[in-house]
Amino acid sequence: MAPPTSQKRRIPPTDDFEHSDVSDDDFEVGLLDGALSQNEDEDEDDEEYELDSSGEGSEEEDENEDEDEDEESNSDSESNDPPKVTAKLSELAITKPDKFESSRKIVLDSAGNQRYIYPEIDPVYDSDDTDAEETNTIGNIPLDFYDEYPHVGYDINGKKIMRPAKGQALDALLESIEVPRGWTGLTDRNTGTGLKLTDEELEMVRKIQMDENIEGYDPYQPTVEYFTSITELMPLSAAPEPKRRFIPSKHEAKRIMKIVAAIREGRIVPSKPKEAAKPQFYDIWADELPPRPDHIMNIPAPRLPPPTHDESYNPPKEYLPTDQERTNWEELDPEERKKDYLPRTHSALRLVPGYDTFVKERFERCLDLYLAPRVRRNKLNIDPESLLPKLPSPQDLRPFPTTTATVYRGHVGRVRTLSCDPSGVWLATGGDDGTVRVWEILTGREVWKLQAGEGGEAVHAVKWRPGRDAAILAVATGDDVHLVIPPIFDPETEAASKAILAAGWGYAEIVKKDPLKKEPPAKWTKPEPHQQELGTAVIVSVKHTIKHITWHRRGDYFATVSPEGQNRAVAIHQLSKHASQSPFRKARGIVQRVEFHPFRPHLFVATQRYIRIYDLAKQELAKTLLPGSRWISSFDIHPGGDNLLVGAYDKRLLWHDLDLSTKPYKTMRYHSKAVRGVKYHPGGLPLFCSASDDGSIQVFHGKVYSDLMENALIVPLKVLRGHRVEKSLGVLDVEWHGRECWLFSAGADGTARMWN
Amino acid sequence: MGRIKKKGTSGNAKNFITRTKAVRKLQVSLPDFRRLCIFKGIYPREPRNKKKANKGSTASTTFYYTKDIQYLLHEPVLQKFREHKAFAKKLSKALGRGDYSDAKRLEQNNKPQVKLDHIVKERYPTFTDALRDLDDAVSMLFLFSNLPTNHNLPLETIANCEKLTNEWQHYIIRTNSLRKSFLSIKGIYYQAEIQGQDVLWLVPYKFAQNVPVDVDFRIMHTFVEFYSTLVGFVLFRLYTQEGLVYPPKFDEEADARGAGLRAFSLEAKSIGLLPATGKGQKNTKAMTKQMATLGEKIASLEEAEDDTNTDMIQEEDAAAGEATIDTFKPVTTSGADILLQPHMGNVGTAGAADPSCLFAPFTFFLSRETPRPPLEFLLRSFGCKRIGWDLVLGDGAFTENESDPSITHQIVDRPPVYQAALPPVPESDGDEEMEDASRSKRVNGRIPGRIYVQPQYIWDCINIGKLLSPNEYGPGTLLPPHLSPWVKIDEKTYDPTAPGAAGGEESEEEDEEADNGMDEDLESGDEEEEEIGAVILGPENEEEEESEDEEEKAQQEYQRELEAEAAGVKLPVGNKKKDKKKKSKQEREEEEQKDMQKIMMSRRKRKLYEKMQYSNKQKEDEVENLREKRRKLDKEKKKAKA
């Protein structure tokens, strides 16, 4: 690389003299050069030559000498002295590579000449710094760090690179106004001056931006075929061409012969021959097997039904729809229509139009065939009447009550209860008005009346004592049971009755003396004199309202039910001793009714859901019946003792066979309202009845066979309607006559009726 | 204790499979599955317990019988579907590359063809099974032979259907196995009895079919594909059993000229062409030949005319009343073409005895406004050998000359037009002789010596099985109602043909009474009322107050009705109501007893009983409605007469 001095020298002499202050020597030399040389380039060459020669061998020196001679010939001012020349050369050698001066050592050799010893060069990468440009070494830091310094950085040798002289403020202004050519607005990091682009560079930038070819680049250079462009004069291999290149292949001939043979033999054909067209149809059932029975899962599609008269193009006139039917049909959705066409009539065949939904109907049939689920349905082809159960005709089951025979009118308000006396002549009724009335059954005449309930208390139950020896009527009103002897019987019976009732007083006296005994569940008292006059003989009071009374068949005991009484709901009273006892220690549900078994020492207690049967002799629970109803209203025991009839407030009537199961044998739900009373006929007729709030009494034939294997036969016989429904109450109680098929009913409409 | 049974391993859960599962199991697409189901006749089932069958889910799904699906796994058609899928891929690849020649070669050589032979055998193990299931197949083929082509419906399919239906008709004609036919608003129903099996099919009228948008032709096409295979095999067997060659010869030229059925010629197995069909073929072969002989024929006719014509007219008149066949005897003498001569020897007996030869002794001519194909089919299958028609109706007629004297019956379906009302016929140059001959014979536009009937005559004759009097069927007359031959008549159904079809003689009497009442003055009406009142009061019951009330009410209402009728105002209430009110005590007791019996029925039985009662009631109401209408019509008729 040329040293700075030589660079300076390149400045042409025509330049201003302002540069002269850089170095006087150079100036003089320059002046000299400019005066001496005709060609600047030549001069340059010379100098370069001089530089090169400095490190080269001796022959170049010779050339130098020649040149020098030329110079000398050109100018006479220089001396021709050879030692001078050498001296000059050496001088040059010394002076020129300034940069080496610091690193080399100068020693004197044995001859006393100067000898330069250079430091050893470590031949690593980058060790050659000959092409190192003059760069600023500060690295990638902002230049304004150096703003307050006179220099802008350091060169490779650690020397300061001085900030170039800046123009005046005016120049800066001018520069900012008039953008000079090539101005980029950037600062050259290396020099600190503004970075300017030359015209060529600008042009190149423009071309790159415009996607044009840069000058000097030829996009259509002729291709140079790398291999074929060079023709080798000599072959690469000297091997001779093999023979196989010149003779036909045997292997190929063999293969071709094979193919030819195959073609000749017909193994290979130009295209696959069409299979000889078999007849499309043949006798597919030629070897048909005997028909097999149909599989149960095979359900053939049903055939479409054949057309009926109304599909005719000319149907009888009566098949044509009326206007009403037509509008009805048109208003219906197509899916809901019974038939997909309306009958039409045409007077001649030529007037029949095409059927516009023909394709659609066929399509729907197709859909039905493959999409509709098929199921085998047994079509019942029976007379619906045959479904009706064969019942014996009611005519054959006579007698049974069918009509109202007598109406007993007199009660004010509901008639709650009634009872038919053992002799079958008198009927006692009790009602909401608190009276007990005794009627002559056949005539309907009221023969006796007693205001039993004091202060308008209703009479909830009346019951005649069984047995014909006496005539005692138990009347339940409020918490009391009045044992009454109605003064309508003959004196002997009356006396006997009084004797039965009075017998217990003495016994009660004895018992009372025993202080250890607990308080009895009931108190037996003598009624007031005025009550005695009216017929009341004894009053038994318990602590809760009595709703039901039932007598033991012998007439010595009777039981009362007061549902609110908890564990004392049921009380059993003994006439002969004037004693009462409460058989249950603890309450098990609200007791509805109790009954004595017709001949066994059993007590049936009905709570809301269950009926419990207690064995009084063994004093244990014998059985629990589950009628399955929500709320039992009443029940009755068949005189045979093995069947039980239960009526419930949820409209059900249940027949229990005690031998069969604890569940009902038959459940009958045909009352539209709650069932209030059920009763078997006590006198041997196979009848029973149920009374309901819908105002009807239903009478059934209920035959119990003595054969244990045969179930009871139940035949509905008659629905008796006559009682009015008042405040959603209909018939409140029913009772059969002791022998005849007479039925008594007490209604909420204030009447009692006899049916026969 | 036994082993605990695992859920879903038996019963409904195992026997039924949902459609989705079936498709997954078979690894086919849904359309392929559908095709498979149609071909194999597999249908969904209704399991008894859907919840169990669907593994506890109650969502509504389609169920198939598991074994059906299991058998499908080894179905050769399924394999073909897979092959077709692979082929389609290859083809689309070739087309995508633009390799059309390759694609064509593939299509020609490699396209898998689905054969349904084994399925036919499998679905119908015996021939009787196949015959039993022909209803839908034949109907479908007839429909398709009447459809226009579209991109879903290639021409070949339609042509094939047409061919099969024609062959089917030929078989029926040959064996005389057609039994009944019915003109409905939907089309024409036919019933044939083939080897003891009834086949009922429906043919649409010849109109352009309305093809709705929501009809999926791919489904229909799949059905037709199977049905045409089935019918082909059935026909093969039928033809072979009849000693015929299947397929019969088909003359395309004749078909192009509209020969219809005549384009086919049956061929006996050993002998060759059958004589009957040979005639047909001859007819189709040379139209011109016939035209050439026509002149001769007419000449000979004219000779014969002089002696035959007068007799014919006389006997025609006589026949008009009874429609006996012997009236047409003299026609035979005009033997222009000996081949065509009918054998008149046993005319009277043959027609009456065997319904299959019902029309054998006659020569029919179809006017150009009548539908030729059904009439030709019907007449030929009932023994008629000589059917002529106008040239407009196509080729292959016995005669195209309307004035052919051998014609005994002409079927017309146009309103009668009298000659006087018509404009004069322009003179035509050619064939003057013929024109004159025909014109001279016409009386009121009709040629005497033959019976003119409307097409319905043919149908009614066939359904009844004997020749009816043509009086009622003359051109322009009001036709008797055309009834379906398939309605079975018992006590509960309504029989429109019965003279007292209106039923309830009493009610009619009542009507009459009412009518009389209208004519009479008010006083007589009062008398009647009193009478009736007395009748009602007679059986009065002393016990029951309510019934008393009811009866009183009924009485009042009846009175009101009478008054209204007397005044000429009609109350909408019918006679029925009156009857109801008058229900006797006994009836009421019976009803009560029925109620009692119902009490003792179990709930299930009671529901069933009520359902049956309901449906019976519907039917009865329908019949009653028809009776009511009939009564009204009769009344109107009576009025019109009076």
Side-chain angles (χ1 to χ4, degrees):
Chain A
M1 232 338 87
T5 46
S6 68
Q7 210 172 19
K8 294 288 178 209
R9 250 200 274 161
R10 229 193 272 172
I11 296 164
T14 48
D15 277 8
D16 298 349
F17 283 100
E18 286 172 2
H19 294 281
S20 60
D21 61 340
V22 180
S23 119
D24 289 341
D25 292 343
D26 284 348
F27 181 59
E28 281 163 14
V29 173
L31 271 179
L32 195 77
D33 274 350
L36 292 177
S37 61
Q38 295 135 344
N39 191 344
E40 209 181 283
D41 291 338
E42 251 183 28
D43 188 48
E44 249 181 35
D45 286 347
D46 291 349
E47 276 187 11
E48 273 173 14
Y49 207 71
E50 278 176 328
L51 279 172
D52 288 339
S53 67
S54 63
E56 297 289 327
S58 56
E59 50 178 76
E60 284 172 37
E61 275 183 15
D62 297 339
E63 281 176 348
N64 267 335
E65 281 171 1
D66 295 341
E67 214 177 63
D68 282 352
E69 279 169 11
D70 288 350
E71 274 181 40
E72 278 166 354
S73 60
N74 286 340
S75 62
D76 294 335
S77 60
E78 295 280 337
S79 63
N80 301 352
D81 205 354
K84 252 197 171 175
V85 172
T86 50
K88 194 185 174 185
L89 270 175
S90 62
E91 202 180 69
L92 271 171
I94 293 163
T95 51
K96 271 199 179 163
D98 285 353
K99 58 182 176 183
F100 294 130
E101 271 177 9
S102 55
S103 54
R104 73 178 176 200
K105 273 194 216 161
I106 302 166
V107 285
L108 291 172
D109 60 0
S110 54
N113 295 328
Q114 275 186 337
R115 190 174 165 205
Y116 302 110
I117 295 168
Y118 292 95
E120 286 272 313
I121 293 170
D122 190 13
V124 292
Y125 186 69
D126 272 355
S127 58
D128 178 19
D129 58 353
T130 48
D131 58 346
E133 282 174 34
E134 189 186 356
T135 49
N136 195 347
T137 57
I138 54 169
N140 191 17
I141 58 159
L143 273 181
D144 48 320
F145 283 11
Y146 287 89
D147 273 354
E148 56 200 42
Y149 300 104
H151 57 279
V152 292
Y154 307 91
D155 65 5
I156 194 88
N157 294 320
K159 285 196 175 155
K160 286 176 181 170
I161 301 169
M162 301 307 292
R163 188 186 300 279
K166 274 204 169 162
Q168 294 299 313
L170 188 64
D171 292 340
L173 181 68
L174 280 174
E175 234 168 49
S176 68
I177 290 166
E178 208 178 319
V179 178
R181 209 167 160 72
W183 182 83
T184 57
L186 300 171
T187 314
D188 191 349
R189 295 181 67 86
N190 291 331
T191 57
T193 53
L195 187 69
K196 288 186 180 174
L197 296 178
T198 60
D199 279 354
E200 294 89 65
E201 281 166 340
L202 278 173
E203 181 61 15
M204 195 182 287
V205 166
R206 188 193 67 80
K207 283 196 168 174
I208 288 169
Q209 275 179 338
M210 303 299 289
D211 275 346
E212 286 174 16
N213 284 324
I214 303 163
E215 198 140 355
Y217 172 73
D218 182 9
Y220 305 109
Q221 284 165 351
T223 45
V224 179
E225 303 291 336
Y226 188 77
F227 291 106
T228 51
S229 57
I230 307 151
T231 321
E232 298 289 345
L233 290 177
M234 300 295 288
L236 289 171
S237 158
E241 282 274 294
K243 191 179 177 185
R244 62 174 178 273
R245 300 262 167 92
F246 307 105
I247 56 167
S249 158
K250 262 187 188 168
H251 173 69
E252 277 176 2
K254 220 170 165 184
R255 286 190 62 188
I256 287 168
M257 280 319 292
K258 260 188 184 172
I259 291 168
V260 168
I263 290 172
R264 278 191 186 145
E265 281 166 26
R267 273 184 284 125
I268 297 175
V269 278
S271 61
K272 209 171 143 196
K274 287 267 179 231
E275 280 174 30
K278 270 196 223 158
Q280 197 193 348
F281 300 116
Y282 50 92
D283 194 357
I284 206 169
W285 289 284
D287 54 343
E288 85 180 3
L289 298 164
R292 279 186 302 177
D294 222 356
H295 191 262
I296 195 163
M297 287 308 279
N298 179 30
I299 309 167
R303 289 176 161 193
L304 283 174
T308 52
H309 294 323
D310 56 358
E311 213 183 303
S312 166
Y313 88 104
N314 179 21
K317 293 277 173 292
E318 55 266 32
Y319 283 95
L320 296 176
T322 58
D323 291 342
Q324 179 64 35
E325 283 165 344
R326 183 184 300 277
T327 46
N328 282 349
W329 187 83
E330 275 160 2
E331 274 167 16
L332 276 179
D333 274 346
E335 287 84 31
E336 286 170 5
R337 286 171 186 165
K338 229 174 173 186
K339 279 182 170 168
D340 46 7
Y341 57 89
L342 265 185
R344 278 177 289 164
T345 185
H346 306 277
S347 58
L349 186 60
R350 68 169 189 282
L351 301 173
V352 181
Y355 189 62
D356 57 347
T357 53
F358 196 100
V359 177
K360 179 130 208 230
E361 270 179 25
R362 202 77 334 250
F363 175 63
E364 266 155 21
R365 170 71 179 169
C366 286
L367 288 187
D368 281 351
L369 282 178
Y370 95 95
L371 218 53
R374 290 187 203 166
V375 66
R376 215 182 268 276
R377 280 242 163 81
N378 289 334
K379 205 166 187 184
L380 272 180
N381 194 13
I382 51 165
D383 183 23
E385 301 304 320
S386 68
L387 285 173
L388 290 171
K390 289 279 165 291
L391 296 176
S393 157
Q395 265 66 23
D396 304 340
L397 300 175
R398 275 176 179 160
F400 55 86
T402 51
T403 51
T404 309
T406 321
V407 183
Y408 306 96
R409 293 180 209 271
H411 274 286
V412 181
R414 294 167 194 143
V415 183
R416 284 264 173 200
T417 172
L418 44 70
S419 177
C420 179
D421 100 292
S423 63
V425 182
W426 314 107
L427 176 74
T429 59
D432 270 1
D433 54 358
T435 58
V436 180
R437 292 164 202 247
V438 176
W439 316 77
E440 197 176 15
I441 285 173
L442 286 174
T443 57
R445 188 172 58 89
E446 183 188 314
V447 289
W448 181 75
K449 180 178 128 180
L450 171 71
Q451 184 69 38
E454 281 150 22
E457 261 186 308
V459 174
H460 282 292
V462 290
K463 213 71 172 179
W464 291 97
R465 176 180 174 272
R468 292 191 166 197
D469 53 336
I472 300 168
L473 184 64
V475 177
T477 167
D479 298 349
D480 304 336
V481 178
H482 297 235
L483 296 171
V484 186
I485 304 163
I488 48 169
F489 294 93
D490 53 303
E492 289 137 42
T493 318
E494 217 175 302
S497 311
K498 278 186 178 161
I500 287 171
L501 288 179
W505 293 119
Y507 189 83
E509 287 296 310
I510 301 161
V511 174
K512 259 186 193 166
K513 283 172 188 166
D514 191 353
L516 294 173
K517 269 257 173 161
K518 269 196 292 182
E519 197 195 343
K523 218 160 72 184
W524 294 66
T525 50
K526 275 189 179 156
E528 306 285 314
H530 72 272
Q531 284 178 321
Q532 280 185 1
E533 266 173 40
L534 288 169
T536 312
V538 180
I539 294 178
V540 186
S541 3
V542 294
K543 297 212 171 91
H544 301 281
T545 313
I546 294 166
K547 288 286 170 92
H548 181 66
I549 301 173
T550 182
W551 284 91
H552 187 255
R553 68 181 181 284
R554 294 227 186 84
D556 194 19
Y557 292 95
F558 68 94
T560 57
V561 177
S562 32
E564 297 145 17
Q566 303 281 342
N567 60 338
R568 296 208 162 179
V570 183
I572 297 174
H573 312 276
Q574 192 178 9
L575 271 193
S576 55
K577 292 182 180 171
H578 283 197
S580 300
Q581 49 186 321
S582 155
F584 304 116
R585 229 170 272 140
K586 107 185 141 174
R588 300 174 87 173
I590 300 168
V591 179
Q592 297 290 314
R593 291 284 168 103
V594 294
E595 295 292 343
F596 289 102
H597 190 277
F599 45 84
R600 277 189 217 115
H602 288 175
L603 182 67
F604 291 67
V605 179
T607 56
Q608 278 188 353
R609 301 257 176 127
Y610 308 105
I611 295 176
R612 293 195 176 83
I613 305 170
Y614 294 95
D615 192 331
L616 294 175
K618 291 182 190 165
Q619 299 205 335
E620 65 179 17
L621 177 68
K623 201 181 227 176
T624 306
L625 301 181
L626 316 161
S629 67
R630 294 273 174 79
W631 197 339
I632 294 166
S633 64
S634 57
F635 76 100
D636 194 27
I637 303 160
H638 190 267
D642 277 342
N643 293 283
L644 200 71
L645 201 59
V646 182
Y649 286 114
D650 49 2
K651 307 171 196 172
R652 271 187 255 206
L653 178 65
L654 310 135
W655 178 294
H656 271 279
D657 194 328
L658 296 184
D659 293 335
L660 277 180
S661 144
T662 55
K663 302 240 170 66
Y665 155 61
K666 275 271 189 307
T667 304
M668 289 159 274
R669 293 186 58 159
Y670 49 84
H671 276 297
S672 55
K673 292 275 172 61
V675 177
R676 289 222 167 235
V678 290
K679 228 38 161 212
Y680 281 112
H681 194 283
L685 288 173
L687 292 172
F688 67 91
C689 67
S690 62
S692 160
D693 272 347
D694 58 7
S696 71
I697 304 158
Q698 302 218 350
V699 182
F700 294 82
H701 175 88
K703 184 156 197 165
V704 177
Y705 296 95
S706 51
D707 181 6
L708 285 175
M709 296 305 289
E710 205 158 352
N711 286 327
L713 171 75
I714 302 171
V715 183
L717 290 176
K718 185 76 188 167
V719 181
L720 302 171
R721 290 174 204 279
H723 283 288
R724 269 182 292 116
V725 177
E726 276 196 2
K727 291 185 181 164
S728 72
L729 289 176
V731 185
L732 298 177
D733 198 10
V734 278
E735 175 90 13
W736 290 94
H737 187 272
R739 292 176 305 275
E740 309 289 337
C741 80
W742 297 346
L743 183 66
F744 306 99
S745 63
D749 55 354
T751 64
R753 280 169 188 253
M754 184 178 88
W755 311 79
N756 68 3
Chain B
M1 197 180 128
R3 286 183 71 183
I4 294 171
K5 233 179 101 189
K6 221 180 148 194
K7 222 178 164 187
T9 50
S10 66
N12 271 326
K14 199 167 168 256
N15 282 345
F16 295 101
I17 183 171
T18 62
R19 193 182 63 173
T20 324
K21 274 188 190 157
V23 168
R24 290 235 178 96
K25 187 170 188 178
L26 296 173
Q27 302 184 9
V28 285
S29 63
L30 205 54
D32 273 352
F33 179 69
R34 186 177 64 200
R35 275 189 83 196
L36 209 56
C37 284
I38 291 171
F39 285 153
K40 295 280 285 182
I42 289 170
Y43 43 87
R45 316 289 182 123
E46 187 88 352
R48 198 166 282 169
N49 190 339
K50 276 193 168 181
K51 202 177 165 192
K52 274 184 190 160
N54 207 5
K55 314 272 184 284
S57 159
T58 48
S60 68
T61 34
T62 322
F63 294 97
Y64 285 90
Y65 186 45
T66 310
K67 281 196 173 164
D68 281 348
I69 303 300
Q70 223 162 24
Y71 291 139
L72 276 185
L73 282 170
H74 309 292
E75 177 56 45
V77 172
L78 188 66
Q79 196 53 42
K80 282 278 178 203
F81 284 168
R82 299 206 174 109
E83 277 173 27
H84 190 273
K85 200 174 159 192
F87 162 74
K89 265 186 202 164
K90 282 180 199 164
L91 194 69
S92 68
K93 204 187 258 176
L95 288 174
R97 280 195 302 244
D99 236 347
Y100 296 109
S101 64
D102 218 24
K104 201 177 165 190
R105 185 184 54 76
L106 270 175
E107 174 112 46
Q108 270 175 357
N109 297 337
N110 291 9
K111 192 175 184 186
Q113 301 288 340
V114 177
K115 284 211 132 194
L116 301 176
D117 306 8
H118 64 284
I119 294 182
V120 171
K121 184 72 200 287
E122 201 177 278
R123 280 179 69 172
Y124 308 106
T126 63
F127 186 53
T128 322
D129 293 334
L131 286 178
R132 213 176 286 155
D133 209 19
L134 274 185
D135 282 18
D136 288 311
V138 179
S139 299
M140 196 74 166
L141 293 184
F142 268 102
L143 169 65
F144 265 64
S145 60
N146 279 323
L147 283 182
T149 74
N150 59 30
H151 66 281
N152 275 327
L153 201 57
L155 186 64
E156 296 86 67
T157 311
I158 291 167
N160 187 30
C161 288
E162 206 167 358
K163 194 185 122 241
L164 285 170
T165 52
N166 279 328
E167 285 164 3
W168 169 257
Q169 285 179 337
H170 264 295
Y171 174 78
I172 286 181
I173 289 168
R174 176 152 178 91
T175 54
N176 289 329
S177 45
L178 193 68
R179 292 288 169 270
K180 281 162 183 172
S181 181
F182 176 57
L183 289 166
S184 124
I185 46 172
K186 293 181 180 176
I188 304 171
Y189 286 91
Y190 298 97
Q191 190 185 32
E193 192 188 341
I194 298 169
Q195 299 186 3
Q197 299 295 330
D198 281 335
V199 184
L200 176 73
W201 73 95
L202 173 61
V203 181
Y205 290 118
K206 280 266 178 194
F207 285 106
Q209 290 295 334
N210 170 32
V211 180
V213 194
D214 52 345
V215 166
D216 188 352
F217 260 92
R218 287 172 303 173
I219 294 172
M220 303 261 274
H221 197 260
T222 315
F223 269 101
V224 164
E225 209 173 317
F226 176 74
Y227 284 155
S228 51
T229 317
L230 168 67
V231 171
F233 279 111
V234 167
L235 282 175
F236 183 91
R237 173 117 172 154
L238 288 175
Y239 270 67
T240 323
Q241 281 179 344
E242 197 61 23
L244 301 170
V245 172
Y246 185 84
K249 268 192 182 153
F250 176 60
D251 184 357
E252 275 181 29
E253 261 181 60
D255 192 50
R257 285 198 303 273
L261 279 177
R262 299 275 185 189
F264 291 83
S265 43
L266 302 185
E267 218 174 330
K269 272 217 156 147
S270 49
I271 308 154
L273 284 183
L274 288 172
T277 53
K279 175 208 75 194
Q281 204 190 22
K282 190 184 144 201
N283 272 343
T284 56
K285 215 193 299 178
M287 176 75 198
T288 47
K289 195 179 161 192
Q290 208 178 24
M291 289 305 285
T293 56
L294 203 62
E296 290 173 40
K297 245 195 257 178
I298 284 161
S300 62
L301 272 178
E302 273 171 346
E303 284 167 27
E305 213 171 34
D306 297 324
D307 26 66
T308 56
N309 205 14
T310 47
D311 301 344
M312 254 170 67
I313 295 163
Q314 282 170 9
E315 296 204 37
E316 156 80 38
D317 292 340
E322 297 165 6
T324 48
I325 312 145
D326 46 357
T327 28
F328 310 106
K329 227 179 260 174
V331 177
T332 50
T333 50
S334 64
D337 194 343
I338 290 163
L339 264 177
L340 306 175
Q341 285 311 302
H343 307 287
M344 279 307 193
N346 52 358
V347 163
T349 51
D354 188 6
S356 64
C357 317
L358 199 62
F359 302 119
F362 309 128
T363 309
F364 277 88
F365 187 84
L366 314 181
S367 296
R368 62 171 183 276
E369 70 278 4
T370 52
R372 178 196 143 200
L375 281 170
E376 189 194 358
F377 173 55
L378 278 180
L379 290 171
R380 284 182 67 183
S381 37
F382 280 87
C384 185
K385 294 265 189 308
R386 301 172 302 280
I387 310 162
W389 55 76
D390 202 285
L391 196 55
V392 181
L393 294 178
D395 201 5
F398 163 70
T399 172
E400 275 117 23
N401 181 13
E402 198 182 337
S403 57
D404 191 326
S406 63
I407 293 165
T408 59
H409 286 69
Q410 182 162 355
I411 299 173
V412 287
D413 194 11
R414 61 185 118 173
V417 183
Y418 296 101
Q419 201 85 51
L422 288 174
V425 182
E427 291 279 327
S428 56
D429 305 327
D431 258 344
E432 254 182 56
E433 275 178 87
M434 200 177 116
E435 281 291 319
D436 286 339
S438 62
R439 211 185 306 152
S440 66
K441 278 182 275 174
R442 287 183 190 242
V443 179
N444 271 349
R446 296 189 197 177
I447 298 164
R450 61 175 73 162
I451 296 170
Y452 283 84
V453 285
Q454 292 198 37
Q456 193 191 322
Y457 175 72
I458 306 294
W459 270 272
D460 284 357
C461 284
I462 286 169
N463 288 343
I464 284 189
K466 61 179 189 210
L467 289 173
L468 293 166
S469 151
N471 277 358
E472 289 181 303
Y473 297 94
T477 53
L478 188 67
L479 289 166
H482 182 55
L483 298 176
S484 163
W486 291 286
V487 176
K488 279 185 197 113
I489 287 154
D490 56 10
E491 307 131 24
K492 282 180 184 172
T493 52
Y494 171 72
D495 179 14
T497 54
E505 289 298 318
E506 318 123 39
S507 63
E508 269 194 19
E509 274 174 23
E510 269 180 15
D511 280 355
E512 272 181 26
E513 264 180 26
D515 283 357
N516 293 339
M518 272 208 314
D519 298 335
E520 283 162 15
D521 53 359
L522 276 169
E523 287 171 14
S524 70
D526 286 347
E527 266 172 46
E528 229 172 49
E529 177 192 293
E530 274 172 18
E531 254 179 49
I532 291 160
V535 169
I536 294 165
L537 287 172
E540 201 180 15
N541 205 329
E542 63 279 5
E543 289 173 16
E544 295 179 31
E545 304 149 3
E546 301 153 8
S547 67
E548 229 173 62
D549 288 354
E550 264 184 24
E551 256 159 15
E552 256 177 36
K553 248 186 229 166
Q555 191 190 334
Q556 278 172 5
E557 219 170 273
Y558 187 52
Q559 206 169 323
R560 241 189 298 138
E561 266 178 45
L562 283 176
E563 277 168 16
E565 279 186 343
V569 187
K570 284 237 161 163
L571 281 183
V573 204
N575 302 323
K576 265 174 76 183
K577 204 169 177 183
K578 261 183 271 172
D579 295 346
K580 242 184 212 171
K581 296 275 158 144
K582 268 196 251 168
K583 240 181 225 169
S584 67
K585 192 186 167 190
Q586 199 188 346
E587 274 176 351
R588 212 173 322 170
E589 265 174 8
E590 268 173 24
E591 214 163 80
E592 207 169 80
Q593 197 187 332
K594 214 171 258 181
D595 284 347
M596 283 292 181
Q597 281 175 320
K598 261 197 232 172
I599 284 172
M600 291 314 289
M601 284 165 105
S602 66
R603 176 198 290 263
R604 202 168 164 197
K605 267 195 175 169
R606 190 165 56 229
K607 286 265 160 68
L608 180 66
Y609 177 77
E610 272 157 14
K611 214 192 250 175
M612 284 169 102
Q613 291 288 52
Y614 175 79
S615 66
N616 284 358
K617 180 92 195 319
Q618 294 285 95
K619 273 179 208 158
E620 277 166 22
D621 283 355
E622 227 162 74
V623 171
E624 192 46 50
N625 183 27
L626 287 173
R627 290 223 166 99
E628 187 74 22
K629 279 182 181 172
R630 173 74 177 260
R631 236 174 271 145
K632 255 185 209 165
L633 287 168
D634 285 353
K635 220 158 101 186
E636 272 168 27
K637 219 185 264 174
K638 249 182 219 170
K639 231 183 247 174
K641 268 186 191 170

